[in-house]
Amino acid sequence: MRMVDLIQKKRSGQRLNEAEIDYVIQGYTKGEIPDYQMSALLMAICFQGMDDQETSDLTMAMVRSGDTIDLSAIRGIKVDKHSTGGVGDKVSLIVAPIVASLGVPVAKMSGRGLGHTGGTVDKLESIPGFNVQLSNGQFIDAVNSIGMAIVSQTGNLAPADKKIYALRDVTGTVDSIPLIASSIMSKKIASGANAIVLDVKVGSGAFMKTVDEARKLAETMTRIGKALNRRTVAIITDMDQPLGREIGNAGEVRESLDVLRGRGDKDLSEVSITVASYMALLGGVSASLEEARTAVIGAIESGRALETFKQFVASQGGNSAIVDDPSLLPAASVSAKVKATADGYVSKIEAEAIGVAAMLLGAGRATKEDEIDYAAGITLHKKIGDRVSAGDVLCIMHTNRSDTAEAERLILKAYELKDTAPEPAKLIHEIVEGDR
């Protein structure tokens, strides 16, 4: 088997079989196939696509490139959740304790963020003392004991994906549904879950800008799940403005606690309840979606979900007192108001620009080596549909940096005001279900 023949085969629109795909992935992971040949194949895939069987084979080849996690020692149906990423997306912090309190085990491995704000692991590390590095035994014990654990993703989980993504990023081959879908699903499959709920973001602050693009990705991932015997549901949710009102690590933890108390931002609460309901359904603790939703709301209203979060923080070495006293979380030395310069209704908030502004304040990383300031971030006071007058506070910037001018410029540019109120944004666009 020669790599050049496989490049030509895919370039001409033919399908690659399982053995050929495995040859490519194993060879590239081991360094036997050079970057220039892998780049050529990735570009051919971008132009010619892959069918469902090829995409499933690619996913499993990447799974086999490294370690897989055996969760068989954890009782029950293990349900994982993945988001394609957005600004202010702290849903994992909310849904995991909800469904864990209902008896659905959540054994989650998450990555760090690169860009706007931190990933789930970074948000958790804003809690004093929180440990994201557990041994496999500690990880399993925690899930069996309190129903959940969230740890940092191991470096050898689907290493082929990490290596291929780095190449895609510099060769203009990121934008390919089969490559995106196999990248996401390979890590989920390797993580050992029995079922997967996918939160596919769409809009200005998401990778997928249109509902059609998001639907194609959602359908591809659910078909991969079905082919690999993982019950999979994808929920297409809006990211045309930041989710919730907090952007930044400690702020997002505070807002997550508000939702778990039943008094959080309505949009964030609704997305979280929807995701948690499908997790409860796939986890087998509810017979219907309606029953699952009732159980999820009950877990919040009764305080069980909040108590589970408190136990989770304590079990991983964090200061669980932050649950009752969020002021113990990191706080910035500077809080600067950004005020509206005109009257009108907020018709648009460019989510990506808000995310970049948060990064400039210290909440995210421009490079992998950058340090995150857990206290930095943005609190939104006005969102789409709100009426504002000149001088009203649009948001508050939190930072330990002295220069906030560029962040403020980006924020003001991100807000678009019009004379008439916009139509209410659609929060949940579609549900794409695999074979349950």
Side-chain angles (χ1 to χ4, degrees):
M1 201 177 295
R2 296 192 314 158
M3 185 66 172
V4 65
D5 297 327
L6 302 183
I7 294 168
Q8 291 170 341
K9 184 177 182 180
K10 176 49 67 177
R11 186 193 65 190
S12 64
Q14 300 179 63
R15 67 180 305 278
L16 302 177
N17 63 41
E18 182 179 7
E20 291 167 335
I21 290 171
D22 202 56
Y23 165 81
V24 170
I25 297 304
Q26 301 309 319
Y28 185 61
T29 305
K30 294 174 183 176
E32 297 166 357
I33 293 172
D35 283 351
Y36 61 82
Q37 285 190 313
M38 192 66 187
S39 299
L41 181 62
L42 292 171
M43 189 61 76
I45 291 169
C46 279
F47 282 113
Q48 297 292 354
M50 290 181 125
D51 65 22
D52 286 349
Q53 187 60 56
E54 284 179 292
T55 308
S56 295
D57 289 342
L58 176 59
T59 301
M60 281 309 299
M62 291 198 290
V63 170
R64 289 191 294 269
S65 71
D67 297 337
T68 56
I69 308 301
D70 181 5
L71 299 180
S72 60
I74 296 174
R75 298 180 293 274
I77 299 172
K78 281 71 73 176
V79 182
D80 202 353
K81 173 262 174 192
H82 177 81
S83 169
T84 57
V87 180
D89 182 6
K90 69 282 292 179
V91 172
S92 291
L93 300 182
I94 300 166
V95 300
I98 291 173
V99 299
S101 74
L102 296 175
V104 177
V106 180
K108 186 168 180 57
M109 294 190 173
S110 294
R112 299 188 184 280
L114 179 60
H116 311 141
T117 53
T120 298
V121 163
D122 298 299
K123 300 182 205 306
L124 289 170
E125 285 188 325
S126 72
I127 300 171
F130 195 94
N131 178 24
V132 298
Q133 304 288 343
L134 300 182
S135 69
N136 194 52
Q138 290 172 323
F139 182 57
I140 289 171
D141 287 347
V143 180
N144 276 330
S145 173
I146 64 168
M148 66 175 290
I150 302 177
V151 296
S152 180
Q153 185 175 298
T154 172
N156 203 40
L157 202 69
D161 171 63
K162 184 176 181 180
K163 190 174 181 181
I164 290 169
Y165 189 86
L167 189 62
R168 287 166 58 203
D169 198 36
V170 296
T171 57
T173 53
V174 171
D175 191 13
S176 163
I177 295 292
L179 295 178
I180 297 168
S182 58
S183 172
I184 291 170
M185 293 298 286
S186 64
K187 293 189 286 289
K188 296 293 105 180
I189 300 297
S191 295
N194 305 120
I196 304 163
V197 175
L198 301 161
D199 183 1
V200 180
K201 302 295 187 187
V202 61
S204 66
F207 184 72
M208 312 310 288
K209 303 300 183 186
T210 69
V211 174
D212 283 346
E213 290 174 330
R215 184 187 303 114
K216 288 175 185 175
L217 177 59
E219 289 173 345
T220 301
M221 290 192 292
T222 55
R223 288 197 298 265
I224 292 173
K226 181 179 179 180
L228 300 179
N229 298 313
R230 301 300 196 281
R231 297 160 68 188
T232 308
V233 170
I235 305 165
I236 301 175
T237 65
D238 186 71
M239 189 45 70
D240 260 335
Q241 64 176 332
L243 184 58
R245 293 183 179 271
E246 295 288 347
I247 302 96
N249 300 282
E252 292 188 40
V253 172
R254 289 189 192 93
E255 186 170 35
S256 298
L257 292 172
D258 282 342
V259 174
L260 291 171
R261 287 190 177 90
R263 57 173 189 246
D265 175 82
K266 62 182 179 62
D267 288 355
L268 174 61
S269 297
E270 179 56 31
V271 170
S272 299
I273 288 169
T274 302
V275 171
S277 298
Y278 275 99
M279 292 178 73
L281 183 63
L282 295 192
V285 298
S286 301
S288 68
L289 184 62
E290 293 74 21
E291 183 182 306
R293 186 178 177 89
T294 298
V296 164
I297 293 171
I300 296 170
E301 292 179 345
S302 68
R304 293 197 314 274
L306 187 66
E307 179 59 29
T308 299
F309 188 89
K310 191 173 187 177
Q311 293 172 0
F312 155 64
V313 171
S315 76
Q316 294 192 218
N319 182 3
S320 61
I322 63 102
V323 174
D324 299 314
D325 185 5
S327 69
L328 296 172
L329 289 162
S333 59
V334 175
S335 291
K337 296 175 181 178
V338 178
K339 297 181 179 181
T341 57
D343 301 342
Y345 291 91
V346 179
S347 62
K348 181 180 180 181
I349 303 175
E350 189 68 39
E352 187 172 0
I354 297 291
V356 173
M359 183 180 71
L360 292 175
L361 296 172
R365 297 181 180 91
T367 70
K368 288 187 292 185
E369 292 74 29
D370 286 350
E371 294 271 339
I372 278 183
D373 179 354
Y374 297 122
I378 297 169
T379 302
L380 301 180
H381 282 231
K382 300 294 184 182
K383 296 193 71 175
I384 291 176
D386 289 342
R387 172 73 182 175
V388 301
S389 300
D392 284 352
V393 176
L394 297 175
C395 68
I396 297 178
M397 301 181 291
H398 309 284
T399 187
N400 290 305
R401 297 180 177 179
S402 57
D403 186 2
T404 60
E406 180 60 14
E408 182 171 357
R409 186 191 68 79
L410 283 172
I411 291 166
L412 288 171
K413 187 177 179 181
Y415 272 86
E416 184 176 299
L417 304 182
K418 290 190 175 178
D419 292 334
T420 56
E423 290 294 318
K426 190 173 183 180
L427 194 60
I428 310 291
H429 290 275
E430 292 181 23
I431 308 293
V432 178
E433 299 193 47
D435 183 9
R436 294 197 276 108

